[in-house]
Amino acid sequence: MKELYAVVTGASRGLGLAFAKEFAKRNINVILISLPGEGLEGTCRYLSNHYSIRAEYYETDLTCKDNLMSLANRINNNYNIHYLINNAGMGGTKRFDEASPAYLDSIIQLNITATSLLTHQLLSNLKRQEKAYVLNVSSLAAFSPIGYKTVYPASKAFVHSFSRGLYQELRDSNVFV
């Protein structure tokens, strides 16, 4: 049987870390992704020692398309993945007209572009497996516009809609979204 690997973005804390631990408890190897300097090396060492799994990590900024494409290439060339958890995301609270273009772009690049492109780039890998799963973390904010967080709920609405559409496209395949 091929080794099972789960890719988890935003894996340094919160839901991402919880997903990583749950996969480890289920004896599934993990590839954890987060920004540099967020302690993934220690997390991987803990998971490997405590659960006797393989735990790899990649520290990169997913808002940079070149980083994302390089990461996807590395994963596709070295691992068979059965799970993709697109958990990395960012929000914040600012008046829209006072937010900088860089601030708005970061939210859009991480919540929308990174989720879409990473899924796109890893989909052929997922399709090669007997069964595979994609989980894109959205938010209840996707269903309700929120003042001072205008771009975040809109980006999470995209994640929700994207996931529902991808589910429809892949419903007759081995990949469940």
Side-chain angles (χ1 to χ4, degrees), residues 121-166:
Q121 293 302 299
L122 298 181
L123 192 55
S124 62
N125 191 324
L126 291 160
K127 284 182 169 183
R128 288 194 305 263
Q129 313 316 319
E130 187 175 330
K131 283 189 176 183
Y133 305 88
V134 176
L135 178 88
N136 296 322
V137 177
S138 182
S139 170
L140 286 175
F143 303 103
S144 179
I146 302 169
Y148 302 96
K149 290 185 177 289
T150 53
V151 176
Y152 175 76
S155 71
K156 291 303 185 171
F158 171 89
V159 171
H160 175 75
S161 182
F162 168 71
S163 300
R164 300 295 295 164
L166 193 59

Side-chain angles (χ1 to χ4, degrees), residues 3 19 27 32 36 41 43 45 70 78-79 89-90 97 101 106 111 133 135-136 145 148 158 164 175:
E3 289 185 325
F19 281 122
N27 201 35
L32 306 182
E41 182 177 8
T43 300
R45 193 170 33 254
S70 175
N78 294 293
Y79 305 97
M90 69 177 288
D97 60 354
S106 291
N111 296 0
Y133 305 88
L135 178 88
N136 296 322
Y148 302 96
F158 171 89
R164 300 295 295 164
V175 180

Side-chain angles (χ1 to χ4, degrees), residues 104-131:
L104 298 174
D105 190 50
S106 291
I107 295 171
I108 293 166
Q109 290 306 312
L110 186 57
N111 296 0
I112 295 175
T113 306
T115 297
S116 304
L117 284 180
L118 193 58
T119 303
H120 181 265
Q121 293 302 299
L122 298 181
L123 192 55
S124 62
N125 191 324
L126 291 160
K127 284 182 169 183
R128 288 194 305 263
Q129 313 316 319
E130 187 175 330
K131 283 189 176 183

Side-chain angles (χ1 to χ4, degrees), residues 1-6 19-30 47-48 50-54 83:
M1 182 174 162
K2 294 180 184 177
E3 289 185 325
L4 297 175
Y5 274 94
F19 281 122
K21 288 178 180 177
E22 191 59 38
F23 281 122
K25 286 178 189 175
R26 294 172 186 230
N27 201 35
I28 297 169
N29 300 314
V30 294
L47 294 175
S48 293
H50 195 71
Y51 297 104
S52 299
I53 61 151
R54 291 187 180 163
Y83 304 92

